[in-house]
């Protein structure tokens, strides 16, 4: 079910782990769940309060609730009411303040320190800074460098980010208008470096992505890249420069946030988060009271993500209940679905 819900491999793994922990909690209170759709609202609410009593941070708690909601939604159960922060009066996560944009001198010092370790790390840092890339995107962008260089030379400032994009969602970043030369130089240097290395900027001991990512993280730990100046601060630096340049051109504040959200790969609907997180250092440049669209726009449900008796003939619902309503099958029963044209028993996520 986690695989059907989509998302990155890490997201799918975390969903399975979170739901397994919830299943063990249900067993401890005397309700062994033999199938995913046997979970009930009150069990989930009890589990949330159990986590709160254990002093779980609001951000981590939100991740648990999102995982459970996605799994139960894939099983045909709408448990959003049991996980709504406002109804449960839960503390909201504070999403701003952990990172900040680097000053030009701090960025220069970082490059000097990185050159003593690994030139590949230097190229990753430059690409993250000038294009606002995530660490994984910069690590995997080697085969896109030639395309990016060609687009910039042709006068195009929008560059496609396809490899390593979060949740597999390709996006298009944008070259900063007053930093074209620096960006082109960073891309050209990175291309020359990795051309003879199978287009890999950083190579791990096992010659795979996992080990390369581990090596890059290890290098970051050895550099002054911790806490507020962690690797994500490079994206913050790009975001602040992008927003300042757009505001200086007279672009409306809401449009600035919408464009920046799109360039960073968060989609056009996360403008409130962009303002509170990435632009908190320049909050004074935006109106104190600004009309922003909701961060959480419900997506239109598609047949792929919904569960219905028409899409899945093996799933039968009693009476006139809709697929999203509560289903309590008899103990030991497994609902069946199709995977690659074959019938398989559903296992707990």
């Amino acid at each position: 079910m986690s695989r059907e819900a989509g998302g990155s491999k890490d997201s799918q793994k975390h969903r399975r782990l979170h739901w397994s922990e919830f299943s063990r909690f249900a067993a401890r209170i005397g309700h062994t769940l033999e199938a995913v759709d046997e979970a009930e609202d009150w069990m989930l609410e009890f589990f949330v309060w159990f986590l709160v009593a254990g002093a779980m941070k609001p951000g981590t708690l939100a991740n648990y609730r999102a995982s459970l909601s996605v799994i139960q939604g894939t099983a045909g159960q709408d448990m959003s009411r049991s996980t709504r922060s406002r109804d449960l009066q839960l503390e909201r996560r504070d999403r701003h303040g952990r990172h900040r944009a680097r000053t030009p001198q701090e960025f220069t010092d970082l490059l000097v320190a990185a050159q003593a370790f690994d030139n590949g790390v230097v190229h990753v840092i430059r690409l993250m800074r000038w294009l606002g890339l995530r660490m994984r995107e910069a690590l995997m962008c080697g085969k896109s460098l030639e395309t990016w260089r060609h687009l910039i030379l042709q006068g195009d400032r929008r560059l496609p980010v396809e490899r390593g994009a979060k949740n597999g969602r390709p996006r298009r970043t944008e070259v900063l208008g007053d930093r074209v030369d620096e960006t082109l130089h960073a891309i050209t240097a990175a291309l020359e470096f990795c051309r003879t290395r199978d287009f890999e900027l950083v190579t791990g001991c096992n010659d795979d992505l996992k080990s390369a990512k581990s090596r890059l993280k290890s290098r970051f730990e050895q550099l002054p890249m911790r806490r507020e100046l962690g690797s994500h601060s490079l994206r913050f630096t790009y975001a602040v420069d992008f927003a300042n340049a757009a505001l200086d051109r007279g672009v409306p504040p809401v449009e600035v946030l919408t464009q920046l959200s799109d360039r960073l790969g968060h989609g056009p609907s996360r403008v409130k988060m962009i303002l509170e997180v990435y632009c908190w250092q320049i909050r004074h440049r935006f109106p104190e009271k600004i009309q922003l669209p909701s961060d959480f726009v419900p997506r239109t449900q598609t047949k792929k993500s919904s569960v219905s008796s028409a899409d899945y003939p093996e799933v039968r619902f009693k009476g006139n209940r809709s697929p999203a309503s509560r289903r309590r099958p008899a103990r030991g029963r497994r609902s069946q679905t199709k995977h690659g044209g074959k019938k398989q028993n559903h296992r707990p996520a």
Side-chain angles (χ1 to χ4, degrees):
M1 290 182 178
S2 180
R3 184 168 57 250
E4 288 177 6
S8 65
K9 291 184 178 180
D10 285 342
S11 296
Q12 295 178 29
K13 180 183 70 173
H14 292 157
R15 289 192 201 114
R16 295 193 296 270
L17 294 176
H18 294 164
W19 201 94
S20 297
E21 191 170 342
F22 165 63
S23 177
R24 289 193 294 269
F25 169 80
R28 289 174 61 184
I29 62 176
H31 294 272
T32 302
L33 302 177
E34 297 188 1
V36 172
D37 51 11
E38 289 185 359
E40 299 186 21
D41 289 347
W42 67 268
M43 296 180 187
L44 181 56
E45 184 174 346
F46 274 35
F47 181 60
V48 169
W49 288 120
F50 172 75
L51 298 177
V52 171
M56 179 173 285
K57 295 181 179 180
T60 307
L61 180 62
N63 293 335
Y64 270 75
R65 288 158 42 222
S67 297
L68 296 175
S69 179
V70 169
I71 292 294
Q72 300 308 130
T74 307
Q77 295 178 316
D78 181 9
M79 306 188 80
S80 59
R81 295 180 181 178
S82 303
T83 60
R84 195 173 298 167
S85 299
R86 188 172 301 173
D87 292 346
L88 297 179
Q89 298 182 355
L90 297 174
E91 180 184 358
R92 295 180 65 89
R93 75 173 97 186
D94 181 10
R95 301 202 61 165
H96 105 77
R98 181 176 179 182
H99 297 96
R100 65 170 176 84
R102 287 176 176 266
T103 64
Q105 186 59 47
E106 288 174 338
F107 179 63
T108 301
D109 294 342
L110 176 63
L111 291 179
V112 172
Q115 288 174 351
F117 289 103
D118 191 332
N119 287 332
V121 176
V122 175
H123 296 304
V124 169
I125 291 174
R126 284 177 175 168
L127 294 172
M128 292 177 66
R129 161 61 179 105
W130 298 122
L131 294 175
L133 302 179
R134 298 181 177 93
M135 181 179 68
R136 182 185 177 94
E137 292 170 342
L139 185 62
M140 299 178 62
C141 73
K143 295 183 179 180
S144 300
L145 294 173
E146 184 68 50
T147 301
W148 291 353
R149 182 176 179 275
H150 177 73
L151 288 174
I152 294 178
L153 292 176
Q154 294 296 320
D156 195 345
R157 299 294 179 263
R158 298 296 304 278
L159 308 181
V161 180
E162 300 174 345
R163 295 175 175 85
K166 188 174 182 179
N167 291 333
R169 297 190 302 262
R171 63 184 178 92
R172 293 171 67 86
T173 187
E174 182 174 344
V175 179
L176 299 173
D178 58 343
R179 300 293 186 177
V180 177
D181 292 339
E182 291 92 334
T183 305
L184 181 59
H185 179 268
I187 292 175
T188 303
L191 179 60
E192 292 300 321
F193 174 81
C194 69
R195 195 188 296 274
T196 59
R197 295 173 171 81
D198 196 23
F199 295 95
E200 294 182 355
L201 294 173
V202 177
T203 303
C205 58
N206 294 328
D207 198 24
D208 58 5
L209 178 60
K210 183 177 181 180
S211 61
K213 189 175 180 180
S214 298
R215 181 177 182 181
L216 182 59
K217 286 184 176 181
S218 176
R219 291 289 188 248
F220 283 170
E221 286 293 324
Q222 297 173 10
L223 295 170
M225 299 183 71
R226 304 184 187 90
R227 298 180 181 177
E228 64 176 11
L229 291 179
S231 61
H232 219 58
S233 67
L234 299 171
R235 268 167 65 86
F236 275 65
T237 309
Y238 170 89
V240 169
D241 286 354
F242 182 96
N244 279 329
L247 291 171
D248 291 341
R249 294 196 306 268
V251 180
V254 175
E255 181 64 21
V256 171
L257 297 173
T258 302
Q259 291 181 9
L260 181 55
S261 180
D262 178 67
R263 304 314 188 260
L264 292 175
H266 289 287
S269 66
R270 303 300 303 278
V271 293
K272 184 177 180 181
M273 185 272 290
I274 295 297
L275 177 62
E276 294 177 350
V277 178
Y278 288 94
C279 296
W280 69 271
Q281 290 177 267
I282 57 173
R283 181 64 176 84
H284 60 279
R285 298 206 60 183
F286 294 87
E288 184 176 353
K289 294 184 178 179
I290 182 172
Q291 294 281 343
L292 297 177
S294 172
D295 268 7
F296 302 98
V297 179
R299 295 180 296 178
T300 303
Q301 199 172 34
T302 62
K303 290 184 177 181
K304 183 177 180 180
S305 60
S306 63
V307 179
S308 66
S309 57
D311 295 328
Y312 298 95
E314 295 85 355
V315 181
R316 303 299 180 188
F317 302 98
K318 297 181 180 180
N320 295 323
R321 297 179 185 176
S322 65
S325 64
R326 175 71 63 248
R327 294 183 290 136
R328 296 184 179 88
R331 183 172 296 277
R333 185 177 113 190
R334 299 289 194 276
S335 58
Q336 294 179 331
T337 188
K338 290 182 178 180
H339 292 278
K342 297 181 181 180
K343 294 183 180 179
Q344 294 182 353
N345 290 334
H346 262 294
R347 300 176 180 175

